[in-house]
Amino acid sequence: MPATDIQFEALQPVSAQALAGCLRLQQVAGVGLLTAHRLLQRYGSFQALFETDYAALLGCLRPAQASAVLAPPAPALAALVEATLRWQEQGGHALLAYGAPGYPPLLARLPAPPLLLYVQGRRELLACTALAIVGSRNASQQGKLTAQRMAHALSDAGLTIVSGLAQGIDGAAHAGGLAGQGSTVAFIGTGPDRIYPAANAALARRIAVEGCVVSEFALGTPPLRDNFPCRNRLISGLAAGVLVVEAAAKSGSLITARLAVHQGKELYAMPGSIHATLAKGCHQLIRRDGAKLVESADDILVDLGLLERAGAGYTQPDDAFVDTLLQALGQQCATADGLSQQLNQPVAELQGQLLALELAGLVERLPGGQFQRVWQ
């Protein structure tokens, strides 16, 4: 359903005690998320875990792990807890703890869900039906345009567009998602107070207001190489499916694609020229990994069973009406309302025709709800 139809309960702030326990456990050497969840399931709380004795921990941990768990917290922990509590108090910010109300159900089903999510913006988007769009950081201009148009069309159909805020396809997908009603969610591989790459800082600030920016990493975490594959599992985890637009044979976006397969999500890929380096990854997904070939937004909406929900927005273009509509646009920009009055056609029907022409590359949507003809 569209994000605007979802009502969320008031979120209770994460307490200082719970936050300190969570951050302390995350800093324990040799204890990953799978082990952390096992420990919490056994002991029931951070406090009980840290108050247990060495002998008891040996029942489920190696000696080095048990010693690390019971070691005194790092001196910097108190300052990090205080900074995180201040971050939580800022407008539009929220901490979502695993197991607490508001934690995204789809992410909770992952084998190793984050203990804590740092959320900026519209957290209700985390409960919406979503599609991930990923691809090359060094995308072609055509690839970025295709990703943006696909994201826009799918967002207009009510899907939330999920990606990783990288340059290239990710950034274009976020921009397209913001342009539609479904908006966008960006999962980042740094702490919530840091944005990478810097080139997407303005886009990130916009998403933090109009969409949602999410991190599982503590404040101050830099862009470490190993964090981005971790981030990718959240991108695919939140989505009903993953669409890959332009990817080289060894592209990092293929990690997200294969995670989607392991998570039981739908996998889609857009084909390209057999001579194009940036098409080889997509062709590999189609040929070897069972990805479904996608040429239009309709292909995905039909496959997900959402075409009926999209309604008039996905009416196929009426060939008899196309020339009339393009002539009405002529050399000028126009809004759907203006065209409705000029052509004496219902606005809803016109919106569907305009979207179909936009997907065909014949019409371009501009800020302010205006449309213009694309001259070939």
Side-chain angles (χ1 to χ4, degrees), residues 36-60:
H37 279 283
R38 191 172 75 247
L39 289 171
L40 289 172
Q41 185 173 16
R42 177 167 180 167
Y43 288 97
S45 70
F46 296 110
Q47 181 177 354
L49 169 63
F50 291 121
E51 288 179 352
T52 194
D53 59 43
Y54 179 77
L57 283 176
L58 288 180
C60 57

Side-chain angles (χ1 to χ4, degrees), residues 169-183:
I169 297 301
D170 285 21
H174 287 308
L178 286 171
Q181 68 167 327
S183 195

